[in-house]
Amino acid sequence: MEGLTGEALYDFVKARCPKATSKKIVRASLLALTDPHLKDRNILDVIYALAIKHRLDEGAFDDGDDEPAELAPFQTVS
């Protein structure tokens, strides 16, 4: 119940998984929110805050992730 939050949590994840990019950490955080076994509101709030903060940070995805962005195809409407 009393654990890491904010930057301390992000720094912990980066220390444990140094090759993890911000993009992958955000994806993992959002995926964790769908875990049916995770029901503690405080933990869910911390995970959500981590994902949102790093998703909205400018340059959060400018950290060497070579994965190409997937764009939806452009479609015209008749």
Side-chain angles (χ1 to χ4, degrees):
M1 296 299 168
E2 306 247 350
L4 301 173
T5 61
E7 283 303 308
L9 177 59
Y10 182 78
D11 293 341
F12 175 80
V13 172
K14 286 297 283 185
R16 293 278 310 245
C17 307
K19 292 184 181 183
T21 63
S22 292
K23 186 175 184 177
K24 289 180 181 177
I25 291 171
V26 169
R27 283 184 184 173
S29 299
L30 293 174
L31 183 60
L33 293 174
T34 64
D35 184 345
H37 298 101
L38 190 56
K39 296 180 180 168
D40 185 298
R41 175 70 183 197
N42 294 329
I43 294 171
L44 291 169
D45 285 343
V46 169
I47 292 171
Y48 179 76
L50 174 73
I52 293 302
K53 180 186 182 321
H54 287 280
R55 175 61 179 97
L56 296 177
D57 277 351
E58 285 185 319
F61 298 131
D62 267 350
D63 58 357
D65 189 5
D66 294 333
E67 220 174 275
E70 294 181 27
L71 300 175
F74 180 75
Q75 297 178 351
T76 58
V77 178
S78 304

